[in-house]
Amino acid sequence: MKHRIQCDKEAGVILVTLEGTASADGFRGLVEDLLRPPCSEVDFPILSDFRALDMSSMTSKEIRRIAEFVASLRTDILPIRHAIVVGHALSYGFTRMYQLLADGRDPQQIRVFYGYEDARAWLGVGDGPREMENGAGDMGDGGAARPVATDD
């Protein structure tokens, strides 16, 4: 599983793109990277793109592991909004499962969406940024993108 993080200070949002085969370890690496600068230095909402992420091999046990890991870091995680955009019913289901398991344990307010317009409206970031709408690999060339790959 690969992830890319971009802290868009102009739009006031952190953009996250995930691709490849999802894994608990991959999500753990993503959370660890989100807790490092520059993301840890701002209290921006997060807009995540899961459309190119294959979650077909995930299990409920792995979703629980992710929720438990995030709960263990709750004092380090800011209480921000996190909108996750998915492209498939399976991704929606697993992400909602995480949302329910993490409720009250993850300081973030998480919502799952099929489209960017609704996700942006909920985050309060209006019409920007639009870079992610073109696909998971196209983050534009602005901002400080940090591609990170796990060994999964």
Side-chain angles (χ1 to χ4, degrees), residues 27-93:
F27 279 107
R28 182 182 181 120
L30 170 64
V31 171
E32 289 170 343
D33 283 344
L34 284 169
L35 293 174
R36 292 187 184 112
C39 299
S40 65
E41 298 168 341
V42 296
D43 62 352
F44 296 158
I46 301 172
L47 177 59
S48 292
D49 182 353
F50 282 25
R51 292 175 302 162
L53 186 65
D54 177 6
M55 296 185 81
S56 63
S57 63
M58 291 294 291
T59 65
S60 59
K61 183 178 180 179
E62 288 177 299
I63 301 296
R64 277 189 182 82
R65 279 183 50 213
I66 297 164
E68 289 167 5
F69 173 70
V70 171
S72 75
L73 300 172
R74 70 175 292 125
T75 58
D76 298 323
I77 297 174
L78 294 173
I80 57 167
R81 287 184 171 209
H82 186 166
I84 299 170
V85 179
V86 299
H88 306 284
L90 181 66
S91 296
Y92 184 90

Side-chain angles (χ1 to χ4, degrees), residues 85-115:
V85 179
V86 299
H88 306 284
L90 181 66
S91 296
Y92 184 90
F94 276 127
T95 306
R96 284 283 294 135
M97 181 187 298
Y98 170 80
Q99 183 182 12
L100 293 171
L101 289 169
D103 188 35
R105 299 169 70 194
D106 182 342
Q108 298 180 65
Q109 284 183 277
I110 299 170
R111 284 236 180 123
V112 188
F113 300 90
Y114 279 108

